[in-house]
Amino acid sequence: MHYTGIISIILLIIGLFFLAKRYTGKMIFVFFLALILLPTNLFANVYQLNFANGIYALEFQQDASNCEYDTNSSGIVEGNCKISIVNHSRDTLTFRVSIDQKLDPDSFNITDIINLKDHQLKLDGKEHRTFDFNFRHSLKSSKYQSIGGQVDIFNLKITDDDNTIQL
């Protein structure tokens, strides 16, 4: 369940009720203006840094992560992915990751052949690490025999024994 979101909305409504009783319309306008100017992920980051535990305390650093790939003369795609993750909790965490990219299902997607689920990852408390994965996959179709490139923007699905999150 999304208890944090539900409780936050309830607290926001209660806060707005008391704000409207105490202050005039101009003060409420100033409050909302200040709220709009705050960074959008500020509250999520504060929660993650201070209160989250388990895989919910993990932060995927998308701008420090990428995958590069190329096809050799035998039609085999070889590549390397670098995935940067920060553990904000004090506990050691063990988890699995997979690239979760929503692309056109009818075209070739390199993220479909990058298999990271076989790797169990471990991060100590307060650790930041960039994991390095090599992959190799034989292409079944000659249609894509000369593919190569880099994927810089993708989502990550993180799974432990009990939970799954998308970052």
Side-chain angles (χ1 to χ4, degrees):
M1 287 299 237
H2 300 285
Y3 295 113
T4 306
I6 294 169
I7 291 171
S8 297
I9 290 172
I10 291 170
L11 289 175
L12 177 66
I13 292 170
I14 292 170
L16 289 174
F17 174 75
F18 285 115
L19 190 68
K21 283 182 82 170
R22 174 137 169 99
Y23 295 106
T24 64
K26 289 181 184 179
M27 286 303 290
I28 294 173
F29 175 75
V30 170
F31 169 75
F32 278 114
L33 186 61
L35 192 63
I36 289 170
L37 295 176
L38 288 174
T40 56
N41 60 355
L42 175 69
F43 300 110
N45 287 345
V46 168
Y47 172 77
Q48 188 177 41
L49 289 171
N50 298 303
F51 305 110
N53 55 21
I55 62 173
Y56 297 102
L58 295 175
E59 177 187 357
F60 168 50
Q61 295 189 320
Q62 193 174 53
D63 55 341
S65 303
N66 67 23
C67 292
E68 296 177 348
Y69 58 96
D70 203 0
T71 309
N72 66 20
S73 60
S74 303
I76 296 175
V77 177
E78 296 178 314
N80 176 272
C81 288
K82 293 179 183 358
I83 297 177
S84 183
I85 302 176
V86 178
N87 179 4
H88 292 291
S89 79
R90 297 175 197 264
D91 302 325
T92 299
L93 299 176
T94 305
F95 55 95
R96 296 184 188 283
V97 298
S98 61
I99 293 178
D100 186 37
Q101 190 72 340
K102 305 288 187 236
L103 298 172
D104 183 8
D106 296 328
S107 67
F108 176 77
N109 295 322
I110 188 67
T111 56
D112 291 341
I113 65 171
I114 301 172
N115 182 12
L116 305 178
K117 293 178 186 176
D118 295 336
H119 302 281
Q120 187 167 10
L121 307 178
K122 181 178 176 183
L123 274 175
D124 292 329
K126 302 293 182 184
E127 182 181 8
H128 171 215
R129 187 185 314 167
T130 299
F131 294 96
D132 202 6
F133 302 100
N134 292 317
F135 62 92
R136 180 181 169 103
H137 185 78
S138 178
L139 295 174
K140 295 177 183 165
S141 170
S142 62
K143 183 177 179 182
Y144 303 110
Q145 292 297 325
S146 62
I147 62 167
Q150 183 169 333
V151 179
D152 290 324
I153 299 173
F154 53 86
N155 297 321
L156 204 62
K157 187 182 288 187
I158 298 178
T159 307
D160 67 1
D161 293 334
D162 303 320
N163 303 305
T164 299
I165 59 170
Q166 275 186 290
L167 304 172

